[in-house]
């Protein structure tokens, strides 16, 4: 995994920027976590393929705040018997990020969704990287450093496509 990129259309980027300019991050906390893993001696007999999924959603917050949950799921898998993929480790963590909204700003649902799918994920990324690295090491695996996160504007046909290489 060399890079992790979030793609947004020009319109989504504009919506996200409108929110970004009118909020201030106030808190990031680990809301939930779950980790599983095989013994490293068993897992390292073959190459491990690492994949990452991320989802963000708005959750209820007091007036004047925007609260977003960002769920990260990192999986390491390898080919097992009969070419079936088998998960050898999984690290899931959900961070809750809170933002104060300027009183004169009232974001639309479209703006909030674009902000959640870009900026909120970006804001939680360093916390996810640290958590994943620590948990992977605690499972007995070598340190895994997640790559730099990129947010790029793409044409409408590539909308909301998240990929890892």
């Amino acid at each position: 995994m060399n890079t992790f990129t979030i793609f947004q259309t020009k319109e989504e980027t504009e919506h996200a920027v409108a929110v970004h300019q009118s909020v201030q991050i106030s808190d990031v906390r680990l809301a939930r976590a779950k980790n599983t893993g095989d013994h490293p001696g068993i897992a390292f007999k073959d190459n491990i393929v690492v994949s990452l999924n991320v989802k963000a959603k708005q959750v209820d917050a007091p007036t004047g705040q925007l609260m977003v949950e960002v769920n990260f799921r990192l999986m390491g898998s390898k080919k097992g018997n009969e070419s079936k993929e088998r998960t050898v480790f999984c690290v899931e963590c959900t961070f809750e990020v809170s933002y104060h909204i300027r009183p004169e700003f009232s974001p639309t649902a479209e703006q909030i969704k674009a902000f959640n799918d870009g900026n909120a994920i970006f804001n939680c990324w360093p916390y996810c990287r640290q958590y994943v690295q620590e948990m992977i090491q605690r499972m007995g695996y070598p340190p895994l450093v997640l790559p730099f996160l990129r947010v790029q504007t793409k044409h409408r046909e590539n909308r909301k496509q998240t990929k890892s290489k």
Side-chain angles (χ1 to χ4, degrees), residues 6-20 108-120 151-162:
I6 298 169
F7 294 103
Q8 290 188 313
T9 65
K10 182 179 177 185
E11 294 81 16
E12 288 169 328
T13 301
E14 289 169 357
H15 289 312
V17 167
V19 176
H20 172 78
T108 66
E110 225 176 13
Q111 288 173 325
I112 290 173
K113 177 153 181 30
F115 182 82
N116 294 351
D117 291 344
N119 297 64
V151 180
Q152 293 184 344
T153 303
K154 287 291 180 182
H155 300 290
R156 185 165 292 282
E157 61 270 10
N158 293 331
R159 186 174 170 219
K160 288 196 284 186
Q161 182 182 37
T162 305

Side-chain angles (χ1 to χ4, degrees), residues 59-72:
V59 293
D60 290 336
T63 303
Q65 287 190 355
L66 171 61
M67 197 172 299
V68 183
E69 280 189 353
V70 182
N71 178 264
F72 297 93

Side-chain angles (χ1 to χ4, degrees), residues 139-156:
M139 284 188 236
Y141 294 93
L144 175 66
V145 178
L146 293 181
F148 186 74
L149 174 67
R150 299 179 192 283
V151 180
Q152 293 184 344
T153 303
K154 287 291 180 182
H155 300 290
R156 185 165 292 282

Side-chain angles (χ1 to χ4, degrees), residues 62-142:
T63 303
Q65 287 190 355
L66 171 61
M67 197 172 299
V68 183
E69 280 189 353
V70 182
N71 178 264
F72 297 93
R73 184 172 192 201
L74 179 88
M75 291 180 50
S77 58
K78 67 179 186 174
K79 296 273 187 195
N81 294 339
E82 301 172 16
S83 297
K84 289 184 181 178
E85 257 190 29
R86 187 169 82 78
T87 301
V88 293
F89 66 79
C90 182
V91 177
E92 290 184 64
C93 51
T94 301
F95 290 93
E96 184 181 84
V97 57
S98 301
Y99 302 90
H100 287 293
I101 303 173
R102 247 188 310 155
E104 65 276 5
F105 181 69
S106 183
T108 66
E110 225 176 13
Q111 288 173 325
I112 290 173
K113 177 153 181 30
F115 182 82
N116 294 351
D117 291 344
N119 297 64
I121 293 170
F122 192 84
N123 293 152
C124 291
W125 187 248
Y127 300 92
C128 172
R129 290 178 76 194
Q130 178 187 13
Y131 183 82
V132 166
Q133 186 173 22
E134 288 177 8
M135 290 305 108
I136 291 293
Q137 284 183 286
R138 287 179 184 257
M139 284 188 236
Y141 294 93

